[in-house]
Amino acid sequence: MSRQANRGTESKKMSSELFTLTYGALVTQLCKDYENDEDVNKQLDKMGYNIGVRLIEDFLARSNVGRCHDFLETADVIAKVAFKMYLGITPSITNWSPAGDEFSLILENNPLVDFVELPDNHSSLIYSNLLCGVLRGALEMIRKPRCTADT
Amino acid sequence: MADEALFLLLHNEMVSGVYKSAEQGEVENGRCITKLENMGFRVGQGLIERFTKDTARFKDELDIMKFICKDFWTTVFKKQIDNLRTNHQGIYVLQDNKFRLLTQMSAGKQYLEHASKYLAFTCGLIRGGLSNLGIKSIVTAEVSSMPA
């Protein structure tokens, strides 16, 4: 019984490593194709956006969250439900702006950056820009049009 | 604990991204497939290293192929290979009747010519895994009817 449980968590860890490694290969390829980091960032953001518009449907189908009444609730759901479901981590929400329309998500151990080291000549590369695009795409689909993402 | 859907979507985006960045002409098609396969190669190498850290040494080639069919495929695609055939002279045929990356796309013969783009990454994955286990190989894929 315990052996089977071990297998379960192991295979989950492995599939997250698959995602991490695939993402790494993707960023490497993009850096080779585009010379400057700005273009790579833009490309990652665009890809993330496309993923986000599809992911939101999958998310809504799997989780049973109802409508969010305000932005605060939206932020909560993103951090506690969505991130947990897809990446297995719960980022912390901080830095609320005085107008209540901006906040920061801090990811303590970002699974995308396991095994990754950025060389010095790519200092302006935003490695996790895909995540920003995903959030942007997903929120735009549920009609929060004035939403920008920043790292 | 990245969900399966995430990997599927990322993979599809990768394929369309690579093709978009190489707009013109027939000759680019082969180059794009090579790019995707090389990406799969690197991922396969890393993955097989992490995966076989604690497993025992493999007795022979057939053992390695069985490992790929069962454990490796289960980790990546959450199911096992449906059929493994060999001619005992170095050629192995792995058959998957419900290939995860194609099930969500179509069922039948309509988009058959586009299927190869989505298989390139997985071919690279297998080739990378085998190369890190000490086997130099060539991996090709064939789709007779989606999603097999």
Side-chain angles (χ1 to χ4, degrees):
Chain A
M1 191 62 171
S2 77
R3 188 154 175 241
Q4 258 199 18
N6 206 357
R7 249 304 155 66
T9 50
E10 218 182 87
S11 77
K12 277 207 180 103
K13 203 167 43 122
M14 288 301 161
S15 54
S16 91
E17 287 184 2
L18 170 67
F19 186 71
T20 307
L21 289 171
T22 308
Y23 187 63
L26 172 67
V27 176
T28 313
Q29 186 65 40
L30 284 176
C31 288
K32 265 194 247 172
D33 285 342
Y34 300 98
E35 275 96 39
N36 60 342
D37 292 345
E38 269 319 302
D39 280 342
V40 179
N41 290 342
K42 254 190 278 181
Q43 194 62 15
L44 282 175
D45 187 70
K46 242 193 286 180
M47 291 178 122
Y49 180 80
N50 289 335
I51 294 184
V53 305
R54 298 180 178 105
L55 199 66
I56 183 72
E57 295 198 19
D58 185 77
F59 172 67
L60 290 174
R62 279 181 216 240
S63 68
N64 280 323
V65 289
R67 199 176 253 285
C68 289
H69 293 111
D70 58 12
F71 201 42
L72 190 68
E73 222 182 304
T74 313
D76 252 351
V77 168
I78 294 179
K80 300 206 180 101
V81 185
F83 266 91
K84 184 111 187 115
M85 192 190 287
Y86 289 112
L87 292 174
I89 51 169
T90 311
S92 43
I93 306 181
T94 56
N95 245 0
W96 275 101
S97 74
D101 59 358
E102 276 180 33
F103 63 92
S104 305
L105 280 169
I106 315 273
L107 286 75
E108 259 100 53
N109 17 330
N110 186 355
L112 290 180
V113 306
D114 282 341
F115 322 128
V116 174
E117 258 177 41
L118 276 184
D120 293 325
N121 55 341
H122 286 288
S123 53
S124 65
L125 177 67
I126 307 178
Y127 189 77
S128 308
N129 214 21
L130 192 95
L131 289 178
C132 300
V134 172
L135 286 171
R136 188 168 66 92
L139 289 173
E140 209 168 291
M141 275 328 231
I142 46 178
R143 292 169 178 240
K144 300 238 182 236
R146 266 164 312 140
C147 166
T148 52
D150 237 347
T151 36
Chain B
M1 193 181 46
D3 217 18
E4 213 186 317
L6 256 183
F7 176 66
L8 266 172
L9 290 171
L10 179 67
H11 177 256
N12 292 348
E13 271 319 302
M14 261 174 22
V15 174
S16 58
V18 164
Y19 269 81
K20 229 180 290 181
S21 72
E23 289 295 11
Q24 330 79 359
E26 265 313 303
V27 71
E28 292 296 330
N29 195 11
R31 218 171 287 168
C32 293
I33 300 224
T34 312
K35 266 196 216 167
L36 288 166
E37 224 232 338
N38 286 335
M39 284 203 262
F41 186 76
R42 300 169 54 121
V43 177
Q45 282 183 317
L47 210 58
I48 205 85
E49 257 175 40
R50 303 285 297 168
F51 202 37
T52 54
K53 221 172 15 150
D54 300 315
T55 51
R57 189 178 271 241
F58 295 110
K59 288 191 289 257
D60 59 9
E61 234 174 59
L62 189 57
D63 215 28
I64 296 185
M65 292 314 294
K66 285 203 263 196
F67 173 77
I68 302 250
C69 291
K70 292 208 221 137
D71 302 310
F72 189 67
W73 214 255
T74 314
T75 309
V76 178
F77 299 112
K78 309 277 189 312
K79 66 185 281 286
Q80 291 186 9
I81 284 275
D82 295 310
N83 201 341
L84 169 68
R85 292 201 292 272
T86 174
N87 67 353
H88 290 292
Q89 281 171 10
I91 301 197
Y92 297 87
V93 180
L94 286 75
Q95 194 173 329
D96 186 342
N97 291 331
K98 253 183 120 191
F99 190 52
R100 262 286 153 57
L101 299 180
L102 294 178
T103 31
Q104 312 280 356
M105 250 183 267
S106 101
K109 303 217 186 241
Q110 190 181 4
Y111 292 102
L112 216 49
E113 68 262 12
H114 297 289
S116 55
K117 300 184 205 165
Y118 295 93
L119 298 172
F121 184 79
T122 312
C123 289
L125 205 66
I126 302 178
R127 191 165 67 90
L130 288 175
S131 104
N132 257 16
L133 289 172
I135 303 185
K136 271 217 186 86
S137 58
I138 301 181
V139 182
T140 54
E142 204 182 285
V143 185
S144 51
S145 138
M146 310 271 240

